Amino acid sequence: MLKRIGWALGCLLIAAAFLPLSGCSTRSSDPVLAPDSTWVYPGKQAGDIDARITFADKARTSKKTGKRLGVTNTFEVGVDEKAYAFADLSNPFARGDRVLNFHLVWVNSQDRTIFKKKVDYQPSDSLTTLSSALSLPPGKRAPGPYKFRVYLFRELIAEKSFTLTGEAIQEEEQEGSGEF
């Protein structure tokens, strides 16, 4: 009897030792570059949720074609200017009938979060596009490369770069709050 308990305990300890090495991530750590320049972190299981990112300088679509207007990867700093990001989801119901927790995160050239938006995607939602906007006022945003990231349950599933042009500033203020 004691031999069996000792053997079972030994197996549990070995399994526990390997657990941190396996991680609990459901996503690959190696991104894949999609044709639209979105870096996608695919799910470890085929058919998992993923996203493609599109930037635009308008939050509108054509009434005739249904396509987004003002699609671009370069934005100019200016009064009342905004950058819009759209994350088009694929397979949003791959994980069953549950609420999905997304974070849409804007990142500056120093890899600091400057704005983030939390979105709870309900099983009853019919739209498969998440959106966020970033204001681009003069004197607040520094020109250079930026990124937009999409997280699902705090795991990075997609990111895409864009460029901000305009006058240089001394120091950029941080809009977003710490970690999520």
Side-chain angles (χ1 to χ4, degrees), residues 55-60 69-85 106 114-115 132-142 146 162-167 175:
F55 296 114
D57 60 7
K58 297 174 176 32
R60 298 185 315 222
L69 299 174
V71 172
T72 185
N73 286 340
T74 304
F75 299 92
E76 179 91 22
V77 170
V79 176
D80 297 329
E81 292 295 320
K82 289 186 178 184
Y84 295 91
W106 298 86
I114 55 173
F115 183 74
S132 181
L134 181 69
S135 62
L136 306 174
K140 190 166 185 179
R141 305 279 181 235
Y146 284 69
F162 67 96
T163 304
L164 189 56
T165 62
E167 292 186 31
E175 236 179 73

Side-chain angles (χ1 to χ4, degrees), residues 5-18:
I5 292 173
W7 184 80
L9 185 59
C11 288
L12 283 173
L13 289 174
I14 290 171
F18 282 102

Side-chain angles (χ1 to χ4, degrees), residues 12-41:
L12 283 173
L13 289 174
I14 290 171
F18 282 102
L19 197 57
L21 299 176
S22 67
C24 58
S25 174
T26 63
R27 315 300 295 183
S28 171
S29 60
D30 299 321
V32 175
L33 185 61
D36 69 351
S37 300
T38 299
W39 285 100
V40 177
Y41 294 81

Side-chain angles (χ1 to χ4, degrees), residues 90-135:
S90 296
N91 306 319
F93 302 110
R95 295 191 182 183
D97 193 25
R98 66 187 278 199
V99 175
L100 303 174
N101 179 257
F102 289 96
H103 285 92
L104 309 177
V105 181
W106 298 86
V107 180
N108 68 12
S109 56
Q110 291 83 37
D111 209 33
R112 288 183 21 205
T113 297
I114 55 173
F115 183 74
K116 69 180 161 218
K117 177 181 176 182
K118 181 182 174 194
V119 178
D120 289 328
Y121 189 86
Q122 303 295 326
S124 59
D125 288 346
S126 59
L127 295 177
T128 58
T129 300
L130 308 175
S131 64
S132 181
L134 181 69
S135 62

Side-chain angles (χ1 to χ4, degrees), residues 44-65:
K44 290 181 180 175
Q45 293 187 353
D48 199 4
I49 301 164
D50 72 13
R52 297 295 187 277
I53 299 167
T54 304
F55 296 114
D57 60 7
K58 297 174 176 32
R60 298 185 315 222
T61 56
S62 168
K63 291 180 182 179
K64 290 182 181 180
T65 65

